[in-house]
Amino acid sequence: MAPDITDTAHAVEAAAVMRLLPARPRLLALGEPTHGEDTLLELRNELFRQLVEQEGHQTITIESDCMMGLVVDDYVTSGTGTLEEVMEHGFSHGFGASAANRELVRWMRAHNDGRPASEQVRFAGFDGPLEITGAASPRQALTALHGHLAAHVDADLLPCTAETLDRLIGADDRWTDPAVMMDPSRSVGQSAEAGRLRLLADDLVALLDAQTPHLITAASRGEWDRARLYGRTATGLLRYHHWMADTSPARMTRLLGVRGQMMAHNLLAVAERGPAFVHAHNFHLQREKSSMRLGGMPLEWWSAGAIVHAHLGRDYAFVATALGTIRHRGVDTPPPGTLEGLLYALPQDRCLIDAPRLVIALGDSQPAHRVSPWFGYASFDPAHLADSDGIVFVKDVPQN
């Protein structure tokens, strides 16, 4: 007989989410088990609007390129560019094609119109400039960092000239060659030039830190904060390229770890602004160690959520999303013995589950882990229930 879990379900509302938490967190993270479904993104948008209007949140950060995200932030805060340009150039992973992401940007711009900067909502990407096929050239981040410092500090303090950076970087297609992901020998990440760039990037970041009191008055705290993003991105990209050239069995584990670390550093920087709403895949936000199989090889790494939780403790909250069906992807009604099967039997089309209370209701009868019939959907692992603050359950996800 299935346990009675009716009392664990609540309406999917920002106020209900906040009531589940022991304290008001600096980062409230909402995960999703798949990408590209506007139903899930529309739910995210609705929660963000409520968090802004009812809870005072001012930032949303999503799993998208942190450098490209600056294009979105400039548009929603100052109207720079057009909505079409922002959707084309402000998102990675193809997320600019989403109607729900477009509506998020449109709403943020409308909300900010006429408001002073202190009352505006902000946008940030927290992923590195990384795709499954490879990584970006470090040029944009390195030259932007150097340019900021060159404009505000004595030239004698700079570790190199812009011309030296350009010479060491060379042609960008050496860095972005998609063949590198499968053939480490094609990577320039462990070349003499790359090694020199890593040292210079470290020196530039150190100079930025040492000159903080001067820079936040000579320019602005906002420009200084953006320069810190350039520094994190440059050093992270160079580290990622270094391990792209690795030929050891640990190569993929290291790459996944570097990506998680880059994400975590960006999230911690966002947390400094005040309460923020985070959205990404469950894998990136969970508190537990992440794992996957690639080419038959098991891989484990600490995700961004695990790293951030280690730093922030109760200032980090995580609500996962689970779902019943994505019929257009071959994901049909979940088996009754799984967690998704239990939640699918609830009457609501969508609901917020009190995860700690659900653990108590289940007692010793832990549900089975649902086997995903589609590679693009990752079912929720019931073993992670105790480490989640809540679960948003969506019964059926229709085609966009």
Side-chain angles (χ1 to χ4, degrees):
M1 180 177 177
D4 184 4
I5 61 172
T6 307
D7 291 343
T8 69
H10 308 276
V12 184
E13 299 171 346
V17 173
M18 299 304 283
R19 284 195 294 270
L20 293 184
L21 308 177
R24 179 185 175 88
R26 289 161 67 185
L27 293 179
L28 171 57
L30 174 68
E32 63 175 3
T34 186
H35 286 320
E37 299 298 337
D38 275 357
T39 296
L40 303 183
L41 300 184
E42 288 162 2
L43 185 151
R44 174 206 65 188
N45 292 354
E46 184 179 337
L47 279 177
F48 180 56
R49 286 193 293 268
Q50 293 175 9
L51 288 167
V52 170
E53 294 165 357
Q54 301 169 20
E55 304 293 338
H57 281 58
Q58 287 186 277
T59 301
I60 184 169
T61 181
I62 74 169
E63 183 190 338
S64 184
D65 184 330
C66 58
M67 297 291 286
M68 297 177 80
L70 299 175
V71 174
V72 184
D73 192 50
D74 286 344
Y75 175 77
V76 300
T77 56
S78 65
T80 302
T82 67
L83 181 57
E84 296 299 331
E85 291 168 345
V86 168
M87 300 313 297
E88 182 178 356
H89 302 293
F91 293 85
S92 60
H93 311 320
F95 293 166
S98 162
N101 282 337
R102 184 185 186 90
E103 174 56 23
L104 172 67
V105 175
R106 188 209 62 76
W107 179 84
M108 292 178 71
R109 179 66 199 128
H111 175 88
N112 286 342
D113 192 26
R115 280 184 163 87
S118 61
E119 297 178 9
Q120 291 186 340
V121 291
R122 303 285 301 277
F123 179 93
F126 72 90
D127 202 354
L130 310 170
E131 295 288 353
I132 195 169
T133 54
S137 162
R139 179 182 304 280
Q140 182 186 7
L142 269 177
T143 55
L145 174 60
H146 186 277
H148 178 77
L149 289 168
H152 300 292
V153 304
D154 192 317
D156 291 341
L157 294 175
L158 295 170
C160 66
T161 64
E163 291 74 21
T164 297
L165 285 180
D166 183 65
R167 176 177 56 80
L168 290 171
I169 295 169
D172 286 336
D173 57 11
R174 299 190 311 149
W175 300 88
T176 59
D177 180 3
V180 169
M181 185 55 75
M182 302 303 295
D183 184 2
S185 69
R186 296 177 65 101
S187 173
V188 297
Q190 293 188 18
S191 64
E193 293 86 353
R196 178 67 176 146
L197 284 169
R198 291 186 77 182
L199 291 173
L200 291 173
D202 183 68
D203 284 342
L204 288 167
V205 170
L207 180 60
L208 179 71
D209 185 51
Q211 292 290 315
T212 295
H214 167 65
L215 291 170
I216 60 176
T217 54
S220 70
R221 183 170 288 274
E223 290 180 72
W224 170 78
D225 192 51
R226 186 166 287 200
R228 291 169 67 210
L229 170 62
Y230 299 150
R232 291 192 303 273
T233 306
T235 54
L237 272 175
L238 288 166
R239 186 178 302 116
Y240 194 90
H241 280 290
H242 177 87
W243 292 118
M244 288 276 279
D246 184 43
T247 57
S248 77
R251 178 179 185 250
M252 288 308 302
T253 299
R254 286 184 171 125
L255 292 176
L256 290 165
V258 171
R259 184 186 182 197
Q261 184 184 46
M262 291 177 73
M263 286 181 161
H265 289 169
N266 285 331
L267 286 175
L268 291 169
V270 167
E272 295 175 8
R273 297 181 186 174
F277 185 47
V278 184
H279 189 258
H281 199 286
N282 288 331
F283 276 159
H284 298 308
L285 301 177
Q286 66 187 33
R287 292 183 172 101
E288 306 84 1
K289 202 168 194 178
S290 295
S291 62
M292 65 181 291
R293 297 188 72 86
L294 187 65
M297 180 184 300
L299 303 173
E300 290 189 340
W301 73 100
W302 291 108
S303 70
I307 296 170
V308 169
H309 173 65
H311 282 271
L312 297 184
R314 285 171 56 164
D315 272 330
Y316 178 73
F318 170 54
V319 175
T321 295
L323 53 84
T325 72
I326 325 174
R327 298 191 192 279
H328 56 283
R329 299 293 190 185
V331 181
D332 291 318
T333 305
T338 63
L339 177 66
E340 288 85 353
L342 286 172
L343 299 179
Y344 199 79
L346 293 170
Q348 300 95 326
D349 289 332
R350 64 184 197 180
C351 57
L352 171 68
I353 301 297
D354 183 334
R357 193 168 179 179
L358 179 59
V359 170
I360 295 172
L362 292 174
D364 295 330
S365 58
Q366 180 169 296
H369 191 177
R370 182 186 192 182
V371 177
S372 173
W374 174 51
F375 74 93
Y377 157 64
S379 58
F380 186 83
D381 186 347
H384 294 172
L385 261 178
D387 290 311
S388 301
D389 294 298
I391 300 172
V392 169
F393 182 72
V394 178
K395 182 169 283 188
D396 299 295
V397 177
Q399 191 164 2
N400 293 342

